[in-house]
Each structure stands twice: as structure tokens, then as C-alpha cells.
Amino acid sequence: MSPARTPRYTVPGLGVDEGRRIIDLLTLRLHALNDLALTLKHIHWNVVGPHFIAVHEMLDPQTAAVRDMADAAAERISALGGEPNGTPGALVKERTWDDYSVGRADAIAHLGALDLVYTGIIEDHRAAVEKAGELDPVTEDLLIEHLRGLEQFQWFVRAHLESSSGALSTAGADTEEAAAEAASPKRAASGSAPAKKTALPAPAKRTAKKTAKKAVKKTTASRRTTR
């Protein structure tokens, strides 16, 4: 991402160069939050399966909250003397991550992938908190407030992926597709080849034939007796 222009003014107590550095920091956070809001809606529209309604309805409040976070980040950029850019073109040009990769899928598979999305944005937000803390405690506080919500939302997601022993089904997955498959065994099974019929060993075949012959003889005798 190219650095923002140095603002003509910024908030009292900060120099304009410090203001520009915070604007740069917040601009990438703004892109990440806008992207997350779109991703949450994409998942909301594309979940299927028995957990559909639970996940479908869980994601709407998260989307609304993330949009509010993006709004707060953009307004802070403006307060610092910057120019927030929320256009899709700017997001795609300046982001450092790829599009969400899962389409229509089982709800739990989506949550597996979404867990990785939340991990990425939370890690980046935490790194931004550290940098902001060196320059601007107000921006630091804003990002910490974002983290409180983001980490709670990830907890909601992980509750669907956690076993009673506390293990996550997605542990070790490093891509959205891998996490989706780990979270939903049905998804992995749907792409596998049909199971082959297991051939009986030779002795078992012979036994089966003998049993069948005896059954035929017995049935024939029974019919003769009935007549």
C-alpha cells in the first residue's frame, strides 16, 4: 500500500507526520474490516445444511458490528486529517490478502474457514495496536475496542468447531479450504470416490454357495410336502 499524503493538519498533540503514520495504519484496518463485512455476508448467503438457520442468523449481528467498526476507523482517519477511501477498487488494490475462497457449502465448513479469517484479522489488529500505542493512545483504544468484539465473534465461531475436550477440529489447517474440510467431514467425503465392494474370500464364497444350495433343496422339499 502506498503511504497516504501528509495531512495539512491533525489532532492536537500529534505532529502531521505522526498523523500520517496513524492514517496509514488505519487505512489497512479499514480495508480489512470492509472486506470482513463482505465476507460475512457472503457466508450468510451461502451456508447450507442442518445448521443453516443457526449460522445464517448468527452472522447478521456480526456483519452489523463489523460495519460499525469500519465506520469508526474511517471517521478516525478523517479526524486525523486524512481521507478515508472505502471504494472496492481501493480495497482490492491495497489489501495484502486474497478473496475468501469457499462458495456454497455446509455451514460448519464455512465456520472452519471463517475461523481462519478471524485469526488473520485479529493478528493484524493486534499488531496495529502495538504500533498505534507508540504514537496515539486514542487510536490504540479504538483498535482494542474492535479486538474485543472480533475476539468474541471468533469465540462464537469456534464454539461450533470445538470438541468437549477443548480441541478445535480445524487445528493445523493453514488454508480456508483445508479448514473447511477439517471442520466438516461430510464436505471431504462428498469429493471422494465411491466405496468399492469388498470381495468375499474364496472359502467364504464356497460356504455361501453351499448354504444357498441347501436353502434351495429345503424350499423344494417344503413345497412338495405342502402339495
Side-chain angles (χ1 to χ4, degrees), residues 192-200:
S192 59
K196 294 181 179 179
K197 293 182 179 179
T198 305
L200 289 171

Side-chain angles (χ1 to χ4, degrees), residues 141-159:
D141 182 65
L142 174 68
L143 294 174
I144 289 172
E145 185 62 27
H146 288 178
L147 277 169
R148 188 174 290 110
L150 293 169
E151 290 179 0
Q152 184 185 53
F153 296 155
Q154 187 177 37
W155 169 48
F156 292 168
V157 169
R158 285 181 164 180

Side-chain angles (χ1 to χ4, degrees), residues 63-167:
T63 304
V66 169
R67 284 173 175 165
D68 286 344
M69 294 177 195
D71 187 55
E75 290 180 354
R76 183 62 184 164
I77 291 171
S78 292
L80 288 160
E83 182 181 349
N85 191 339
T87 64
L91 191 164
V92 172
K93 180 181 178 182
E94 298 178 358
R95 69 183 178 180
T96 57
W97 57 90
D98 295 324
D99 270 343
Y100 183 74
S101 60
V102 182
R104 189 179 188 190
D106 176 76
I108 303 303
H110 268 299
L111 292 184
L114 181 57
D115 179 41
L116 253 63
V117 173
Y118 269 123
T119 293
I121 195 169
I122 287 169
E123 287 177 348
D124 288 347
H125 247 64
R126 281 183 169 271
V129 165
E130 289 186 19
K131 292 178 181 177
E134 299 170 2
L135 298 170
D136 179 21
V138 177
T139 298
E140 178 189 31
D141 182 65
L142 174 68
L143 294 174
I144 289 172
E145 185 62 27
H146 288 178
L147 277 169
R148 188 174 290 110
L150 293 169
E151 290 179 0
Q152 184 185 53
F153 296 155
Q154 187 177 37
W155 169 48
F156 292 168
V157 169
R158 285 181 164 180
H160 294 78
L161 308 172
E162 186 179 4
S163 69
S164 58
S165 65

